[in-house]
Amino acid sequence: MPRDNALKEVHSFAAGQWIEPGEGARTIASAVTGAPIFAAGNDALDIGAMLGWAREKGGPALRGMTFHDRAKIIKAVALHLCDHRQELYDLSFDTGATQKDHLIDIDGGIGTMLVFASKGRREMPDGHVYIDGATEQLSRSGSFVGQHIAVPLQGVAVQINAFNFPVWGMLEKLAPALLAGVPSIVKPATATCYVTEACVRLILQSGLLPDGALQLVAGGLGDMLDHLDCQDVVSFTGSADTALKLRANPRLMKNSTRFMSEQDSLNATVLGSDARSGTPEFDLFVKEVHREMTVKAGQKCTAIRRIMVPDAQVDAVIHALSDKLAKTTVGDPRLETTHMGALVSEAQKKDVLEKAALIGRDAERVFGDPDNVSVTGENTENGAFISPMLFCAGIPDAAQHLHDTEAFGPVATVMGYRDTSHAVRLLKRGKGSLVASVFTASADTAREITLGAAAFHGRLYFNNRTSMDEATGHGAPLPHMVHGGPGRAGGGEELGGIRGVLHYMQRTAIQGSPDILTGITQRWVPGAATKTDDAHPFTRAFGSLTIGDTLHAGPRTVTIDDIETFAHFTGDRFYAHMDEDAAAANPFFPGRVAHGYLLLSFAAGMFVQPDPGPVLANTGLDSLRFMAPVSPGDAISVQLTVKAKTPRNETYGEVRWHVTLTNQEAATVAEYELLTMNAF
Ligand code: NAP
C-alpha cells in the first residue's frame, strides 16, 4: 500500500542496520489530535540475520565481560539517557502522556537502570559466575561439596512490550538482561514505538554497548518466535489474549524456551475497617485511588480497578472520589493545567468504552459520562480523550464482569465489604493480580489479608499514617521488588533486584571437590588448597592478593585472668563467664568459658598486622558462629584465608576473609567471614 510521504518514519535496528518502514508498515496517529504522524513496520526484516547477530556477536561480547563491567555500562547508558530525556519527553506527549506521566515512564526507566547498575556492583561478583546460596556439604569429611551457580544463557532475549510504557517497559527488561550478559531484541507495541525508537537511537549513539547487544523491531515481529531455542527467552508484557497466543507457539513449547508473561490484572485496593472517614488512612486512600485512576489515563497494568471499602464507608468514599474526579482536568497533555491526557488511540478508547459498558451490567455508574468529556486545548476534537468513570456495585459477590473485565483506562468500581474475610474473598475474585493495596493502621488486618490473599498477588502494598510520607505508591513497580503476579496476571515475575537478572541465566548445580568449586566460582571453599607466603597478607595490595592466600597465627592460651579482665572492662558479666557452678549447670558449657567476643578480639590480635598499609578499614563480619566452648587453659589458633575479592571503585576493593578459630585439639571453636577494604 502506498504510504503518506508526510509521515515520519520509525526504523527498526536489525543486524547493525537501521531499516526503514516497508511492506506491511502501519500508520500511527497522535493520541491528542488523531492525525497520522508516523509509519512503522517492515515485513521483510531478516529474522535469521538478527538472531545470528545477537547470538554470535552480542552474546559473546557481553559474556566476555564481568558482571561489574556490564553494570558500569548500564550506569553510563542511564546517565546518557538522563542527559537527553527532554527529547523523549517532547515525543511522548503524542502518546497522550502528561509531563507527570513522562516521569513515570522515562525517568522511571532510567532510575530502574541505575538501580540494576548499583545492585550489579554491590550484589554480584566482578566475575563471570553468580553464586546462588551457600555451599552444601554433601559428604562427611567435606571432600565432596555442592554449590548452585548461575551463568548467562547463550541465546537472545526477545522482549515484547505493551504500549503504555514505551521507555520504562523496554529499560526494565533490558537492564536485567544486559546485567545477566544476554543480548536483547526489543519489540515495542506499534502504537508508541516511535518513543522507544528514539530511546534505542540514544542508547546506540552513546557507543557504550557492544555490537549485537541491542536490536529493535518497530512493527510486527514476523516469525521470530518460530526460530527460538532453549537458550533464548521471551519476556512479554501485554494482554492475556496475546500472551496465550504467543506462549502456545509449538516451537517455544518444544524447546522449553523460557516465556515470562506480565499480563493484565484486576488490581484491587482495600480500605481497612479501622480507616473511617476523617482518619489519615481514609484521606490517603482517596488520594491514591484518584491518582491510580488518572495517571496515564488509567493505562497502567498496576492501576486500581476494584475499590473495596467497608459497607458503612461506601457513600463517603464515592462522595470524596467524585469530588476529586470532578476537579480533574482532561486535555492536551502539553498544557501544564492538564491532569489527565488521552488514551493512546481511538481503538483503545473504543475498547475501554466497551469494557466499561460490560462493567455497567454489574454496577451503577456514579461518576463520568462515556459520551461526554470536557477537553481543554486546541485541536483535540479527534483525540482519544475519555472521562474518568466510577462505578458502584451493590452486590459485588454476584458480579461477574467487574472481577473479570480489565477496562485499560480511567475506570474503577467501588464495592462494599462486610468484614475482612469478605474483602479477602473479593480480592481473590481477580484470579491472580499484580498488586493489591491495603490502607490500614491495624497490623492484625494486614496479617489477615496477607494470609488470606498474598498467594493471589505478586505484591501487597500497605500504607497508613506512619508510612504515607515516604511510601512509593500502589502503582509503582520498584526495581528492588518483584513485579508480576500469578494466574490471570501471567504467572511471571520481573524485577525484584538480582532475582530479575536470574531470569536470563541458567541455574546449575555444581558438585565436586572444594578445589574444583573454588576454581569454578573464584570464591574459596573450605577444604580447598591454601597458599602461605612470607609476606603478611595485610601488607599486600588488593591486586596482589589471590584467592586462597592464607595466614596461620597463634596459639594463644586463654586464662581465667583474661576472662575476668574482659568481663570487668566491657561490663559483660554473664554467669557462664563468671560463675563456675551456674555455668556447669548450663547444658552448653563444661564450666566457666571465655566470651565469644573475647575470642574474636584475640583472633584479631593474632592476625592483624599493625602498621599502616593496604588494609584501610574493617567493615564488618558475616556468618559468625561460635561452635564449641573455650575453657580457661585452652589455646586457640587462627586461620585467615582470602575467600573473595570485589572491587568497589578505582582505588580500593572489598576482601572477604574466611576466619577459622581452632583449639589445641584442632577442633573449630568459631568461624566467620571478615570484611576489609583494601587499597589497590
Ligand atoms: P497487546 O495488544 O497484548 O500487545 C502487547 C505486545 O504484543 C505489543 O508489542 C504487540 O505488538 C505484541 N503482539 C501482539 N500480537 C503479537 C503477535 N502475534 N506476535 C508478536 N507480538 C505480538 O497489549 P497492549 O494493548 O499493547 O497493552 C495493554 C495490555 O498490556 C493491558 O491488558 C495491560 O494490562 C497489559 N500490561 C501489563 C503490564 C504488566 O506489567 N503486567 C504492563 C503494561 C501493560 P503490536 O502493538 O505491534 O500489535
Side-chain angles (χ1 to χ4, degrees):
M1 216 203 319
R3 254 196 1 254
D4 179 350
N5 286 335
L7 295 182
K8 287 185 253 172
E9 294 181 343
V10 189
H11 291 198
S12 296
F13 185 71
Q17 306 292 323
W18 284 101
I19 312 280
E20 62 189 23
E23 196 62 34
R26 287 188 253 167
T27 299
I28 304 166
S30 161
V32 183
T33 64
I37 45 174
F38 285 103
N42 189 329
D43 288 346
L45 289 182
D46 186 342
I47 300 296
M50 289 183 80
L51 292 172
W53 209 59
R55 288 173 181 150
E56 282 141 38
K57 249 186 156 30
L62 288 170
R63 293 197 298 278
M65 302 174 188
T66 66
F67 293 106
H68 286 209
D69 294 336
R70 297 193 291 265
K72 284 181 211 161
I73 290 178
I74 293 168
K75 181 174 179 182
V77 168
L79 295 177
H80 178 74
L81 291 177
C82 202
D83 288 343
H84 292 83
R85 65 195 150 159
Q86 186 62 46
E87 296 161 41
L88 300 175
Y89 294 162
D90 291 345
L91 263 181
S92 223
F93 285 117
D94 266 316
T95 69
T98 63
Q99 181 61 34
K100 228 173 169 180
D101 297 336
H102 301 341
L103 296 183
I104 301 174
D105 184 31
I106 296 161
D107 295 63
I110 293 169
T112 298
M113 290 199 101
L114 288 171
V115 170
F116 274 102
S118 154
K119 282 189 165 288
R121 294 285 297 277
R122 280 187 289 111
E123 299 174 30
M124 302 187 92
D126 188 27
H128 300 87
V129 172
Y130 178 73
I131 297 166
D132 180 3
T135 307
E136 299 286 344
Q137 180 106 4
L138 303 177
S139 63
R140 201 171 299 163
S141 77
S143 67
F144 190 69
V145 285
Q147 177 70 60
H148 290 99
I149 62 156
V151 292
L153 288 172
Q154 296 185 12
V156 56
V158 178
Q159 299 166 349
I160 304 170
N161 290 316
F163 69 79
N164 55 340
F165 288 117
V167 176
W168 178 84
M170 169 173 70
L171 299 183
E172 62 103 15
K173 290 182 169 69
L174 182 64
L178 277 177
L179 190 50
V182 177
S184 296
I185 296 177
V186 174
K187 190 260 175 278
T190 304
T192 55
C193 67
Y194 50 96
V195 186
T196 313
E197 190 234 42
C199 188
V200 168
R201 278 187 191 275
L202 287 171
I203 295 174
L204 294 175
Q205 278 159 9
S206 76
L208 291 159
L209 291 187
D211 281 352
L214 173 61
Q215 297 177 78
L216 171 75
V217 175
L221 201 54
D223 64 352
M224 189 176 289
L225 301 192
D226 296 335
H227 300 273
L228 300 186
D229 67 29
C230 75
Q231 291 297 302
D232 302 317
V233 182
V234 178
S235 89
F236 170 83
T237 296
S239 64
D241 288 347
T242 310
L244 185 62
K245 193 158 49 175
L246 300 189
R247 72 159 91 227
N249 178 300
R251 170 89 179 197
L252 297 186
M253 292 198 286
K254 178 162 181 254
N255 291 325
S256 306
T257 306
R258 266 184 222 181
F259 189 93
M260 293 188 288
S261 190
E262 300 294 336
Q263 299 169 192
D264 54 40
S265 169
L266 274 302
N267 312 297
T269 187
V270 179
L271 180 68
S273 52
D274 56 310
R276 282 176 283 279
S277 174
T279 61
E281 285 74 24
F282 184 94
D283 296 341
L284 188 60
F285 175 80
V286 170
K287 199 167 133 198
E288 284 231 30
V289 173
H290 173 259
R291 186 171 61 199
E292 287 301 317
M293 284 183 72
T294 54
V295 165
K296 289 288 296 182
Q299 300 168 113
K300 256 180 1 153
C301 54
T302 49
I304 292 168
R305 310 289 176 204
R306 299 178 302 145
I307 306 164
M308 293 157 195
V309 305
D311 281 329
Q313 302 295 323
V314 169
D315 288 344
V317 165
I318 289 176
H319 187 268
L321 268 176
S322 301
D323 221 34
K324 278 182 100 61
L325 290 170
K327 294 180 190 134
T328 304
T329 315
V330 179
D332 185 341
R334 289 181 177 85
L335 299 176
E336 274 179 27
T337 48
T338 295
H339 298 125
M340 188 175 102
L343 296 180
V344 75
S345 63
E346 208 38 47
Q348 189 61 22
K349 178 174 165 182
K350 184 167 171 282
D351 186 68
V352 171
L353 291 177
E354 280 170 12
K355 303 272 174 63
L358 276 182
I359 291 168
R361 292 190 197 168
D362 285 337
E364 179 194 354
R365 184 160 38 79
V366 292
F367 183 90
D369 180 348
D371 302 318
N372 238 321
V373 58
S374 155
V375 180
T376 58
E378 289 170 20
N379 206 11
T380 51
E381 46 291 341
N382 294 322
F385 295 97
I386 189 175
S387 163
M389 276 180 267
L390 188 66
F391 289 83
C392 177
I395 315 174
D397 302 271
Q400 258 317 317
H401 301 293
L402 72 86
H403 298 296
D404 210 35
T405 304
E406 185 202 41
F408 203 58
V411 181
T413 306
V414 177
M415 60 198 82
Y417 71 81
R418 291 184 296 281
D419 52 24
T420 306
S421 67
H422 185 206
V424 165
R425 281 204 299 286
L426 292 173
L427 281 172
K428 297 198 307 196
R429 292 283 303 273
K431 299 198 188 79
S433 303
L434 294 172
V435 54
S437 53
V438 184
F439 292 77
T440 181
S442 159
D444 288 341
T445 301
R447 182 173 157 79
E448 187 178 346
I449 289 181
T450 302
L451 294 181
F456 284 69
H457 293 84
R459 179 161 63 90
L460 288 180
Y461 171 91
F462 296 94
N463 203 358
N464 60 30
R465 65 194 76 185
T466 308
S467 49
M468 63 184 183
D469 289 341
E470 295 188 311
T472 46
H474 161 108
L478 301 177
H480 320 70
M481 307 300 289
V482 158
H483 173 61
R488 176 182 180 132
E493 210 183 85
E494 291 183 323
L495 305 178
I498 300 307
R499 290 175 193 83
V501 181
L502 295 177
H503 297 311
Y504 297 95
M505 303 179 77
Q506 176 61 41
R507 182 183 293 125
T508 304
I510 301 288
Q511 295 167 243
S513 72
D515 281 323
I516 293 289
L517 262 61
T518 298
I520 291 171
T521 60
Q522 296 294 294
R523 196 177 164 102
W524 186 80
V525 174
T530 57
K531 285 168 277 174
T532 48
D533 200 291
D534 286 346
H536 190 292
F538 275 28
T539 64
R540 291 165 52 196
F542 183 86
S544 67
L545 281 172
T546 57
I547 304 300
D549 282 352
T550 294
L551 174 79
H552 293 278
R556 172 170 184 160
T557 302
V558 180
T559 67
I560 197 78
D561 276 354
D562 292 332
I563 296 172
E564 300 244 329
T565 304
F566 191 79
H568 295 311
F569 180 55
T570 61
D572 177 354
R573 296 161 203 270
F574 187 60
Y575 71 87
H577 314 305
M578 307 306 286
D579 181 333
E580 184 64 28
D581 292 341
N586 180 309
F588 286 94
F589 304 121
R592 289 177 74 176
V593 293
H595 304 67
Y597 301 121
L598 170 62
L599 301 178
L600 291 191
S601 304
F602 278 173
M606 286 188 273
F607 65 63
V608 160
Q609 209 284 343
D611 302 328
V615 177
L616 304 175
N618 167 3
T619 54
L621 56 84
D622 283 343
S623 313
L624 170 63
R625 285 287 175 280
F626 296 118
M627 294 143 101
V630 172
S631 303
D634 284 353
I636 55 165
S637 300
V638 62
Q639 175 180 322
L640 180 77
T641 301
V642 176
K643 182 178 175 108
K645 296 186 348 172
T646 313
R648 288 288 173 230
N649 60 27
E650 305 309 318
T651 55
Y652 58 82
E654 180 187 272
V655 181
R656 183 174 287 269
W657 310 81
H658 188 94
V659 187
T660 310
L661 271 65
T662 46
N663 63 17
Q664 62 282 359
E665 279 145 21
T668 302
V669 297
E671 208 163 29
Y672 55 99
E673 290 175 8
L674 172 76
L675 303 172
T676 61
M677 283 300 171
N678 286 36
F680 271 32

